[in-house]
Amino acid sequence: MAAERNPASCYLDERTFRLCCQLFLQHSETIQDGWSWEQIKGTDEGFMKKTLLIPVKSSVLHKQHECSMQDENMVTDDTQANVEDETAGVQAVCEIHAVLRYEYHVLYSFSYQIPVLYFRASTLDGRPLSLEEVWGNVHPNYRQRLQQGPWDTLTQQDHPLLGQPFFMLHPCRTEEFMKPALDLAQAENKRVNYIVTWLSVVGPVIRLDVPLSYSTEVSAPD
Amino acid sequence: MSDNAESPTENQKDDPSIQHTATEHTGSSDEKKKIDVLLKAVGDTPIMKTKKWSVESGRTVQSLAQFISRFLKLDPSEQLFIYVNQSFAPSPDQEVGALFECFGSDGKLVLHYCKSQAWG
């Protein structure tokens, strides 16, 4: 697998996808990070899944436009709480009025030959979030740039395996952030676990953090 | 670092929490603890003339990314990606101090940065 001078490929074949996921899941199990593998009955297709409860200001749910201004200030003052990431330093908790339920699925896309992140979000009493509300909850670090582009970066899409409505982060730009990481690793003669690298970039966009230990504890498949 | 003053010629000496390492170390409390960060550009991302920075350990990755973006005068449509350990992107809310504990060596933290087009 170690290419000599060729740039590392940004594509992932399905077998390597599965192997990377297996290694990823082993570590998740070790640190109780909540990921599981879901197999579609009667097929050999499956995906990784994780559910998260995310505290948000109620303004995220009702006033998206005002919210983006507030969130900028919020992050500058480092007051955003993150209940899931235990490795980050504990920061001052802002006023929390609501908890949202986010469910993340990592699927393999045969057409793009890369992983894709699907997710759905709802309030605790089961009301699905609208696309606008989900936009309001995109991490401020990415929101401005995402909004500069066309709206189809974050889209509503039927889950390819479950057939239910989900949101999806469009994978067309994957190469732009995978290539630097893969090239860097290759320059150091290191192999990477594609899923660890990929998820560490895309996850935080929609509030899914990957603990630092994945970087050091999860190996690349043989 | 004041996020209000968006002047492109912002003098980084006015920013108490991100300083060139030529200045002496200050502060004895953990809050003021500074981490030596070495910033390396990837690909055709512009190289920062000053590569070594002294950053407060409580500073977040997002805040550092904003600083680099402004320093390099990036267009609003350009996204900056930061990598640690060559191939891992720390969460924007992650603190530099925590990264140093995990990945620091020889008294410094090496971070690679790369700019790309907006998503979508």
Side-chain angles (χ1 to χ4, degrees):
Chain A
M1 274 265 295
E4 296 299 328
R5 292 291 159 196
N6 302 332
S9 167
C10 294
Y11 297 106
L12 188 66
D13 63 86
E14 208 241 343
R15 182 179 165 272
T16 308
F17 167 79
R18 283 173 172 271
L19 292 172
C20 288
C21 287
Q22 267 176 31
L23 294 161
F24 183 97
L25 288 163
Q26 278 171 18
H27 184 66
S28 171
E29 186 78 33
T30 305
I31 63 170
Q32 310 227 313
D33 195 32
W35 285 93
S36 63
W37 180 262
E38 304 291 314
Q39 191 87 9
I40 306 297
K41 281 202 186 76
T43 76
D44 51 8
E45 292 189 87
F47 54 91
M48 290 206 308
K49 169 181 153 178
K50 175 173 173 176
T51 300
L52 216 56
L53 295 180
I54 301 177
V56 291
K57 296 200 302 189
S58 60
S59 58
V60 170
L61 297 176
H62 302 298
K63 297 173 189 173
Q64 293 78 34
H65 299 297
E66 291 168 39
C67 166
S68 51
M69 197 61 143
Q70 288 167 27
D71 272 352
E72 290 289 353
N73 294 333
M74 234 167 77
V75 177
T76 302
D77 294 338
D78 283 343
T79 55
Q80 187 160 27
N82 184 341
V83 297
E84 194 62 21
D85 189 355
E86 286 152 6
T87 58
V90 173
Q91 295 160 341
V93 173
C94 62
E95 273 193 79
I96 293 170
H97 300 290
V99 176
L100 300 177
R101 184 178 175 276
Y102 268 63
E103 187 182 323
Y104 303 93
H105 292 198
V106 172
L107 268 72
Y108 181 73
S109 162
F110 286 92
S111 41
Y112 284 96
Q113 299 227 293
I114 44 177
V116 183
L117 187 57
Y118 283 79
F119 66 100
R120 57 185 167 189
S122 62
T123 61
L124 282 186
D125 37 359
R127 174 179 76 75
L129 261 55
S130 67
L131 181 58
E132 272 190 2
E133 286 172 320
V134 164
W135 264 110
N137 209 26
V138 164
H139 195 290
N141 189 54
Y142 303 98
R143 194 181 301 147
Q144 187 188 7
R145 278 83 177 184
L146 272 178
Q147 285 176 336
Q148 296 266 339
W151 276 70
D152 59 8
T153 302
L154 185 60
T155 61
Q156 275 170 305
Q157 187 94 8
D158 278 352
H159 192 290
L161 297 176
L162 301 180
Q164 295 161 10
F166 268 69
F167 296 104
M168 175 192 81
L169 272 184
H170 204 280
C172 62
R173 294 280 181 182
T174 299
E175 184 175 355
E176 289 195 2
F177 61 81
M178 284 305 294
K179 188 177 186 316
L182 294 173
D183 286 348
L184 277 173
Q186 190 172 50
E188 302 280 321
N189 276 323
K190 285 184 184 177
R191 289 176 309 127
V192 304
N193 183 304
Y194 193 106
I195 293 298
V196 170
T197 296
W198 169 80
L199 196 59
S200 75
V201 179
V202 299
V205 177
I206 46 176
R207 303 306 168 101
L208 171 68
D209 285 347
V210 178
L212 296 178
S213 60
Y214 278 93
S215 173
T216 48
E217 302 302 313
V218 183
S219 50
D222 293 327
Chain B
M1 172 165 73
S2 83
D3 286 323
N4 321 340
E6 293 288 352
S7 156
T9 55
E10 175 183 325
N11 182 355
Q12 58 264 24
K13 286 190 186 138
D14 291 339
D15 174 4
S17 58
I18 294 187
Q19 291 172 351
H20 193 298
T21 45
T23 60
E24 65 217 45
H25 281 288
T26 59
S28 47
S29 68
D30 279 351
E31 271 179 3
K32 297 281 191 227
K33 185 181 173 201
K34 298 272 176 66
I35 306 289
D36 285 345
V37 176
L38 181 59
L39 296 175
K40 294 188 170 181
V42 183
D44 20 343
T45 306
I47 299 172
M48 290 174 80
K49 273 193 285 203
T50 306
K51 296 179 180 53
K52 287 184 85 171
W53 294 89
S54 192
V55 180
E56 262 177 23
S57 67
R59 196 112 209 151
T60 62
V61 167
Q62 164 163 1
S63 153
L64 191 58
Q66 283 171 349
F67 174 76
I68 298 171
S69 299
R70 289 213 304 273
F71 195 92
L72 296 177
K73 300 184 174 61
L74 294 193
D75 192 80
S77 69
E78 293 173 303
Q79 180 76 51
L80 193 81
F81 294 106
I82 289 183
Y83 304 92
V84 74
N85 200 25
Q86 277 85 45
S87 55
F88 187 84
S91 151
D93 302 325
Q94 188 66 267
E95 289 184 358
V96 171
L99 292 182
F100 177 74
E101 277 171 33
C102 208
F103 303 108
S105 69
D106 296 333
K108 66 182 188 300
L109 174 68
V110 175
L111 295 177
H112 287 93
Y113 64 92
C114 176
K115 76 169 171 103
S116 89
Q117 300 274 309
W119 291 26

